[in-house]
Amino acid sequence: MVDKIVIVGGGTSGWMSASYLKAAFGERISVTVVESDRVPTIGVGEATFSTVRHFFEYLGLKETDWMPACNATYKLGIRFQNWSGVGEHFYHPFERLRVVDGFPLTDWWLKQRPSERFDADNFVMAALGDNLRSPRFLDGTLFERGNSDLGPGGAAFRSTLTEQDTQFPYAYHFDAALLAKYLTEYGVSRGVRHVVDDVVDVKLDDRGWISAVATAEHGDLEGDLFVDCTGFKGLLLNKALEEPFVSYQDTLPNNRAVALRVPVDTAERGIPPYTRATAMEAGWIWTIPLFDRIGTGYVYADEYCSPEEAERTLREFVGPGAEGLEANHIRMRIGRSRNSWTKNCVAVGLSSGFVEPLESTGIFFIQHGIEQLVKHFPQQDWSQRLRDSYNRAVNNCMDGVREFLVLHYRGAARNDNQYWQDAKTRKVPDALQGRLEQWQNKLPDAENIFPHYHGFEAYSYVAMLMGLKGIPLRAAGALDLMDGTAAAEEFERVRATAKDLLRTLPSQHEYLAQLH
Ligand code: FAD
């Protein structure tokens, strides 16, 4: 049996992997996590994807427990600021499109334009975002009915991304260091062996498979399966097993970031229920609201901006609150390992791949990777077909997200300097070029977006294309010949629902203060 697992790395990926494997297999496997106290974790990665709830539910964790412990907040979507023009904003919400007479409401919007805000006309979330609302009422009920919601205190059934049939309306922001600590306690209390030490060598057997990792003070740690969670360095997969890395840098040029943790008085300022992504001269700045502080960082391409300039820009953006804070400069490896699973080593997290932080997909990739690992867990014969199937799923997921992110830069109306002008002429992934042309005549649908699972549905592509405004779009021709009354009524219903929710939902701060 394959039952002895050694995980190297104790960042978000190491502890998510350890706790998930324990939740899946319990006492039937032994799990060791070895992490260095000399090599820091990346120190960022705090906004997530709505599907992350499957992870917490799988572990049996309740929002009422883990959210206050990790200073977590709700995220209903991403607010894109200045991507279509300075001073403009729009939301990419976790909300599917309504459909009227067989056409998504966004098609009808192109025809009728009830207002200048396509997001507020099509999605209830835009009003909740603008007005800093919680997605839950004070009694814990979710604002949107029809979702398989367990309530903030419930965590009874275990599902994975594969069972995602509805669009859950929110994700979370959390303090990554606190989450790693929370998951460490979860894992250790369920039998995970926690070794704090440096891995100094990776030992290979005659076939070139990993037999053990050698540590500085705890000797050799032997295992059947090794999970590489060592971050961008890919100590086991890329270094010891020499699995090549496939760079995405030719299509996604941002390769650095500088980050700050800014304490704020959230009672006074309120807590926005969204991640903000503000377009800048050489990239974009994230603003992630936690219960007690903001996480913020400038993601940029060093071809256009020096680290000093980026830090200065970020500090100016934050204002007086940035004074005296230490900046974390990060070099990013953009792309993926050719195969994330080779021989008896699986890379999860940054060692597997990373497609830059826009759209918060890092933790989603971790979740996808470990869910797939459980679904493809090796039998004694270590079938190559099993590994091929795993690698296909992981590679497709990252390649699909790459397409979606390239669309953000190509599709942005912003065109005011070399960085944004180059974004319009830079190479795009082969198939995306054709899709971009097609979407000008037929808005994205399930049939004409990247064809494999990558977490994003057609509505996300539509929301981005409409919000970015850089690519001309047309309503379906059929709408010229159809009666638009039902669509006009649906726009009215969106407005009325939003108005009603603004009247009844508490602010995000009010709701979370109660949890604390
Ligand atoms: P790391 O955090 O780098 O951890 C590596 C671990 O390996 C550490 O514990 C270290 O001690 C250990 N280690 C290394 N070498 C050794 C050794 N020799 N011996 C023992 N241990 C060793 N994702 C999101 O989902 N949302 C976001 O908003 C987001 N923002 C991001 C912003 C930036 C700028 C970047 C770069 C990433 C972002 N991500 C985001 C991705 C997210 O941060 C990562 O996916 C996540 O933190 C997982 O990192 P990791 O655990 O793979 O690696």
Side-chain angles (χ1 to χ4, degrees):
M1 285 216 302
V2 176
D3 59 6
K4 213 165 162 190
I5 298 160
V6 176
I7 297 172
V8 183
T12 307
S13 65
W15 284 109
M16 280 181 71
S17 301
S19 49
Y20 195 87
L21 288 169
K22 267 291 169 193
F25 301 134
E27 296 299 309
R28 296 170 202 92
I29 56 163
S30 87
V31 177
T32 300
V33 174
V34 52
E35 67 172 311
S36 168
D37 58 3
R38 209 178 37 82
V39 185
T41 60
I42 194 90
V44 286
E46 310 196 309
T48 57
F49 221 57
S50 62
T51 47
V52 77
R53 75 184 183 111
H54 295 288
F55 173 81
F56 289 105
E57 287 173 12
Y58 198 89
L59 266 59
L61 300 178
K62 298 182 170 92
E63 280 186 359
T64 41
D65 295 332
W66 79 264
M67 283 188 74
C70 300
N71 279 332
T73 62
Y74 291 120
K75 167 183 174 184
L76 302 178
I78 301 179
R79 175 173 163 133
F80 285 86
Q81 195 87 36
N82 298 351
W83 288 72
S84 47
V86 175
E88 295 193 20
H89 80 269
F90 69 94
Y91 293 98
H92 169 200
F94 295 121
E95 185 176 336
R96 283 187 184 154
L97 285 168
R98 293 152 187 248
V99 177
V100 175
D101 291 338
F103 288 89
L105 197 54
T106 37
D107 260 287
W108 288 105
W109 188 88
L110 287 171
K111 177 110 190 83
Q112 298 186 357
R113 282 188 188 263
S115 84
E116 280 314 300
R117 289 275 308 271
F118 91 93
D119 54 351
D121 290 336
N122 284 280
F123 302 110
V124 168
M125 184 265 151
L128 305 189
D130 283 345
N131 293 283
L132 314 196
R133 287 302 198 270
S134 154
R136 291 193 183 278
F137 294 98
L138 287 175
D139 68 358
T141 320
L142 186 62
F143 80 88
E144 202 183 54
R145 285 176 197 83
N147 262 301
S148 48
D149 177 40
L150 300 170
F157 73 93
R158 305 208 298 181
S159 55
T160 68
L161 294 169
T162 319
E163 290 84 55
Q164 175 82 20
D165 51 0
T166 55
Q167 173 60 69
F168 200 68
Y170 65 74
Y172 308 103
H173 305 116
F174 49 65
D175 184 315
L178 293 180
L179 182 73
K181 187 165 164 270
Y182 194 86
L183 295 180
T184 306
E185 283 161 16
Y186 177 97
V188 169
S189 69
R190 283 161 181 76
V192 172
R193 181 179 172 212
H194 184 195
V195 177
V196 179
D197 203 346
D198 287 337
V199 168
V200 289
D201 193 16
V202 179
K203 298 196 168 170
L204 306 184
D205 65 15
D206 303 344
R207 297 172 303 163
W209 290 43
I210 300 176
S211 55
V213 289
T215 62
E217 291 173 4
H218 292 75
D220 289 356
L221 302 175
E222 291 175 356
D224 304 314
L225 175 71
F226 291 81
V227 186
D228 183 344
C229 295
T230 59
F232 284 133
K233 69 164 83 153
L235 189 65
L236 278 62
L237 186 84
N238 304 121
K239 295 240 167 75
L241 297 182
E242 299 178 355
E243 184 63 28
F245 185 76
V246 181
S247 174
Y248 290 161
Q249 201 74 67
D250 56 341
T251 54
L252 288 170
N254 294 347
N255 58 355
R256 279 179 177 264
V258 52
L260 291 171
R261 292 161 171 239
V262 188
V264 289
D265 182 349
T266 52
E268 191 191 323
R269 289 175 48 150
I271 305 178
Y274 51 78
T275 302
R276 185 151 46 106
T278 307
M280 303 298 291
E281 283 66 31
W284 62 280
I285 287 179
W286 79 78
T287 308
I288 296 178
L290 304 184
F291 189 72
D292 62 336
R293 68 166 167 86
I294 280 172
T296 184
Y298 187 5
V299 179
Y300 62 98
D302 63 6
E303 202 187 326
Y304 300 85
C305 177
S306 70
E308 297 72 32
E309 213 179 324
E311 183 173 334
R312 207 174 326 116
T313 305
L314 179 63
R315 287 184 185 281
E316 278 167 19
F317 182 85
V318 172
E323 266 170 39
L325 301 178
E326 198 185 330
N328 176 12
H329 285 269
I330 301 162
R331 222 182 255 276
M332 303 188 296
R333 184 177 77 155
I334 300 300
R336 61 167 167 83
S337 292
R338 182 184 62 184
N339 289 308
S340 288
W341 184 349
T342 182
K343 298 175 178 166
N344 60 339
C345 174
V346 181
V348 175
L350 298 172
S351 51
S352 162
F354 183 56
V355 193
E356 88 134 275
L358 197 57
E359 293 286 351
S360 324
T361 52
I363 292 162
F364 163 69
F365 287 148
I366 296 172
Q367 181 187 0
H368 181 252
I370 52 184
E371 282 189 6
Q372 288 298 319
L373 177 57
V374 168
K375 287 172 200 279
H376 289 84
F377 204 73
Q379 295 115 352
Q380 255 172 330
D381 63 354
W382 288 91
S383 150
Q384 180 62 42
R385 288 216 176 89
L386 205 57
R387 277 175 276 162
D388 291 345
S389 168
Y390 177 89
N391 286 323
R392 240 186 339 266
V394 167
N395 292 349
N396 280 335
C397 190
M398 292 195 194
D399 291 350
V401 170
R402 168 170 71 156
E403 276 204 9
F404 186 51
L405 294 199
V406 170
L407 164 67
H408 289 52
Y409 296 96
R410 178 56 67 99
R414 193 164 175 162
N415 200 17
D416 52 303
N417 69 8
Q418 199 60 47
Y419 176 87
W420 290 97
Q421 284 154 17
D422 289 351
K424 308 298 175 290
T425 52
R426 186 173 290 113
K427 178 176 178 293
V428 300
D430 289 345
L432 181 62
Q433 188 55 47
R435 291 195 236 283
L436 285 168
E437 284 158 22
Q438 179 164 31
W439 293 335
Q440 293 182 40
N441 296 299
K442 171 83 185 72
L443 288 183
D445 61 26
E447 296 300 322
N448 66 24
I449 61 170
F450 187 81
H452 305 286
Y453 179 77
H454 59 292
F456 292 99
E457 299 178 18
Y459 85 78
S460 291
Y461 287 75
V462 177
M464 289 314 300
L465 281 169
M466 293 184 78
L468 291 166
K469 292 187 182 163
I471 294 178
L473 303 170
R474 289 154 61 162
L479 303 197
D480 288 338
L481 305 168
M482 290 173 74
D483 179 2
T485 312
E489 285 167 5
E490 194 61 35
F491 288 124
E492 204 41 62
R493 253 192 297 279
V494 172
R495 242 185 308 272
T497 307
K499 202 168 155 203
D500 192 42
L501 288 170
L502 291 187
R503 207 174 37 75
T504 50
L505 278 170
S507 73
Q508 155 132 271
H509 185 271
E510 189 183 0
Y511 179 81
L512 292 177
Q514 164 189 269
L515 282 196
H516 280 253

